[in-house]
Amino acid sequence: MSEPSPIPPAPRLRDVRSQTLEELQAEFQNWQEPAYRASQVVEWLYVHRATDWTAMSNLPLRLRERLRHNFALDPITLVAHQGSPDHTQKFLWRLADGALIESVLIPANPALCGEESDRRTLCVSTQVGCAYGCAFCASGLQGWKRNLGVEEIVDQVLAAERWHAANPAPADAASPRERLVDNLVIMGMGEPLANYDPLLKALRILNAPWGGRIGARRITVSTSGLCPQIRRLAEEPLQLQLAVSLHGATDPVRSRLMPVNRKYPIRELMAACEFYVARKGRLLTFEYLLIAGVNDDLAHVPPLADLARRVHAKVNLIPYNHVPTLPWQRPDDNTQQAFLEALQARGINATLRREKGHDIDAACGQLRLRAEAGNA
Ligand code: SAH
Ligand code: SF4
């Protein structure tokens, strides 16, 4: 007798936080439910940050059951938290399939680059691991595992808000903040533009008046320089901020640090940036890590200044955060300052990010790496 064929696993349900209000309304119309019911659902998700259908007490029971059978609602769970509410905090999350990702909460506005501010910026991940293998980066060390889904990107913000509501900072206890996160930087683990469609949908949800209500101008997407996607982003109606990780002002230096430069060398990257600036009428930022003996000599300043001037880019200098097992080191404070002043002397709008969270492994990918090594 032949073996009975195995029962195929049930298809995974779409998560409700991967849906726009319009998509939910269309589904509700099929179900012959009034449109205002969809608004009630998103209010539960984005205002009350519900993690469970049973909480949605103003929905009829039969509708809650129908939702449960048609949509997943799987919150990410906190595995480790480092830092204090008044300083940089790092969250290590476990996803439904057990994969680990990180978000970092920085008590500053990204435009202020580390200056104190009452603004809070959340740095979110877009992939588990990263395929781009930059030589200095912890996220790429174990390769790429998978893209994050829309709901896994969205829930990093909601989960940080839930954590904050349960653990208010002493300063917030007197006058509670309506919400924790004012700005988003898409600079956590992974290459955001390699997960383009889910990222853009997540950002539309986080920006929507019915969703996360975070202004598009308060959202910065960082890329290692994927040229076709930079051009695609230039055509998006959403007015996001773009940061390009440059790290080297010549092809030999950049290719040594970033393998992606062999595919999209600086000439092509600059053409994509010029297209972006012309199409969007918006400025962009170059991120430039300072790594001792690699790209921190003053001889690197003139070519960097030339690139920045071509696209009117602001240059954000980031002192390298040492990653155990990797050979790279950050330059001393005097070298960092001299590099900054030499750029400014050439008329470039440049800032030096005073590092936040150096002591808590805040550079991308580092906490996950320690967790997987059993040391978190
Ligand atoms: N993949 C995208 C976004 C994630 S990396 C990108 O490369 O832009 C976000 C930023 O963190 C990048 O500018 C990256 O170069 C920087 N980074 C990575 N490792 C770092 C480290 N050890 N110290 C400081 N910055 C680091
Ligand atoms: Fe990936 Fe960005 Fe890290 Fe490079 S710096 S390996 S692109 S996450």
Side-chain angles (χ1 to χ4, degrees), residues 10 12 33 61 118 138 152 166-167 170 179 184 228 265 293 317 346:
R12 242 180 85 76
E33 293 284 350
L61 196 56
D118 61 349
E152 292 168 328
N167 304 275
R179 65 180 187 191
L184 285 183
L317 299 174
R346 287 177 173 264

Side-chain angles (χ1 to χ4, degrees), residues 284-286 288 300-317 339-352:
L284 46 78
T285 304
F286 283 151
Y288 190 94
H300 296 264
V301 170
L304 176 56
D306 287 347
L307 296 179
R309 202 171 295 115
R310 258 174 69 186
V311 288
H312 311 289
K314 180 183 159 200
V315 177
N316 192 9
L317 299 174
F339 201 95
L340 172 70
E341 286 170 12
L343 265 180
Q344 289 171 332
R346 287 177 173 264
I348 302 302
N349 177 3
T351 46
L352 177 63

Side-chain angles (χ1 to χ4, degrees), residues 210-256:
W210 52 263
R213 290 173 295 133
I214 300 176
R217 286 160 199 269
R218 293 177 179 272
I219 302 176
T220 303
V221 175
S222 175
T223 179
S224 60
L226 306 193
C227 295
Q229 288 92 328
I230 290 174
R231 290 171 185 271
R232 203 174 151 196
L233 202 62
E235 311 282 9
E236 295 285 347
L238 211 55
Q239 294 294 338
L240 302 166
Q241 313 274 7
L242 179 65
V244 173
S245 294
L246 197 62
H247 307 330
T250 61
D251 282 321
V253 176
R254 191 163 192 267
S255 294
R256 179 180 174 199

Side-chain angles (χ1 to χ4, degrees), residues 1-49:
M1 225 171 66
S2 65
E3 290 276 315
S5 52
I7 300 167
R12 242 180 85 76
L13 296 176
R14 292 162 295 171
D15 193 289
V16 67
R17 290 151 312 157
S18 70
Q19 304 292 295
T20 62
L21 176 60
E22 296 72 28
E23 286 170 327
L24 281 177
Q25 283 168 339
E27 188 81 45
F28 277 38
Q29 198 171 14
N30 289 339
W31 296 353
Q32 293 170 347
E33 293 284 350
Y36 75 87
R37 292 287 186 208
S39 302
Q40 286 178 315
V41 171
V42 296
E43 185 174 334
W44 280 110
L45 295 173
Y46 299 104
V47 178
H48 307 300
R49 301 177 193 115

Side-chain angles (χ1 to χ4, degrees), residues 130 132-134 136-137 139-140 190-191 224:
C130 183
Y132 286 83
C134 299
F136 51 79
C137 177
S139 292
E191 167 49 52
S224 60

Side-chain angles (χ1 to χ4, degrees), residues 292-369:
V294 175
N295 64 359
D296 63 337
D297 190 277
L298 293 183
H300 296 264
V301 170
L304 176 56
D306 287 347
L307 296 179
R309 202 171 295 115
R310 258 174 69 186
V311 288
H312 311 289
K314 180 183 159 200
V315 177
N316 192 9
L317 299 174
I318 312 163
Y320 180 64
N321 221 348
H322 178 68
V323 177
T325 77
L326 295 182
W328 321 96
Q329 303 293 339
R330 76 163 50 179
D332 61 35
D333 289 356
N334 290 342
T335 308
Q336 296 173 24
Q337 191 61 30
F339 201 95
L340 172 70
E341 286 170 12
L343 265 180
Q344 289 171 332
R346 287 177 173 264
I348 302 302
N349 177 3
T351 46
L352 177 63
R353 192 191 282 175
R354 269 197 296 116
E355 201 56 39
K356 293 245 170 202
H358 187 45
D359 51 338
I360 62 158
D361 304 331
C364 76
Q366 289 188 39
L367 187 64
R368 166 176 170 259
L369 210 61

